[in-house]
Amino acid sequence: MNILFIEDHVLVRESIVYVLKKLYEDIFVIETSSIPEALQLIPNMKSLDMVLLDIALPGVDGLTALPDLRKELGALTPIVVLTGSDDSDILRKAKERGATDCIHKNCNRNELVNRLRFIIDTTSEQAPRDTDNLSHESLTLREKEVLQLIARGDQDKVIAFKLGITIGTTKNHIGKILLKLNATNRMCAVLKAIELRIIPPLE
């Protein structure tokens, strides 16, 4: 999972990157302190799963940069705005300009983790996909294994235990499965996978 983090305060970056790496074990965070640098980096990145954007940046601020970032990233990549301001109008302005969500920097660690996990895992529900041309190769071997265990009724903890992975990684796989199958929930994903013969029918 690749995340671009645009934040000019090193301490804030280090703290949130630490939290992110606890959230997903396979996470890679690209750090930058300004909008111009970020806009130079984005075209060279093969894939981005999320952008974390500070509002109060030197030079071009986050709100001003949002339309340009959204244009570069396309409609699907989540942009999460971070702010230390108590201005209740910031969320509205940010969403009008292309942000997915807005998180206050004063939130506690658990709230930050839960909000980011929710955004990452549910972005797939908003992504239109053409599943008519979906093939077995569209899902990785690991994703197929996770999907088969979901079909058997296993919960996240059980799936993680059986496959020898963390719960965070399990949730990451599930989010990608939902995205690829354009499914709004697990059962929908299982039914589509059976219809497309990605996994065998339920016994």
Side-chain angles (χ1 to χ4, degrees):
M1 174 174 294
N2 298 323
I3 293 181
L4 176 62
F5 191 4
I6 313 170
E7 165 66 66
D8 62 314
H9 289 96
V10 177
L11 184 59
V12 174
R13 282 208 314 266
E14 289 179 346
S15 300
I16 294 180
V17 167
Y18 176 81
V19 171
L20 288 170
K21 290 185 176 179
K22 292 292 183 181
L23 181 59
Y24 290 103
E25 64 181 17
D26 59 347
I27 204 163
F28 180 69
V29 182
I30 304 98
E31 301 176 44
T32 179
S33 59
S34 70
I35 294 299
E37 185 179 359
L39 291 173
Q40 286 182 339
L41 289 170
I42 289 171
N44 298 317
M45 296 177 184
K46 291 184 179 180
S47 65
L48 269 179
D49 297 286
M50 177 184 287
V51 172
L52 290 178
L53 173 65
D54 181 28
I55 286 287
L57 292 168
V60 181
D61 66 85
L63 278 178
T64 301
L66 267 168
D68 289 335
L69 287 171
R70 177 52 70 203
K71 182 178 178 181
E72 285 291 330
L73 294 165
L76 301 181
T77 304
I79 302 177
V80 180
V81 167
L82 300 175
T83 178
S85 172
D86 293 321
D87 183 356
S88 59
D89 207 30
I90 282 183
L91 176 58
R92 179 187 63 80
K93 291 178 181 178
K95 289 200 170 184
E96 284 177 352
R97 300 180 188 192
T100 306
D101 200 357
C102 187
I103 299 177
H104 202 285
K105 289 181 179 179
N106 287 341
C107 70
N108 61 45
R109 177 176 172 177
N110 287 337
E111 182 181 354
L112 177 64
V113 167
N114 290 335
R115 291 280 292 279
L116 292 179
R117 178 180 285 128
F118 176 82
I119 293 164
I120 292 170
D121 291 346
T122 60
T123 297
S124 57
E125 298 180 8
Q126 305 168 10
R129 289 291 176 116
D130 179 8
T131 57
D132 293 337
N133 297 321
L134 189 66
S135 67
H136 289 261
E137 289 72 24
S138 297
L139 296 181
T140 67
L141 177 60
R142 179 63 85 191
E143 288 164 356
K144 290 176 186 176
E145 290 174 338
V146 170
L147 190 54
Q148 287 176 334
L149 293 175
I150 292 173
R152 294 173 188 171
D154 290 346
Q155 297 301 310
D156 292 357
K157 289 182 179 180
V158 177
I159 293 172
F161 176 76
K162 287 183 176 180
L163 297 180
I165 57 179
T166 67
I167 295 177
T169 298
T170 301
K171 291 180 180 295
N172 188 18
H173 285 311
I174 293 170
K176 289 180 179 179
I177 290 167
L178 295 178
L179 176 62
K180 291 180 178 181
L181 294 176
N182 190 24
T184 56
N185 57 56
R186 299 175 186 218
M187 183 52 65
C188 181
V190 168
L191 294 176
K192 284 191 176 183
I194 292 172
E195 180 183 355
L196 294 166
R197 298 183 180 180
I198 295 173
I199 61 173
L202 300 174
E203 296 181 354

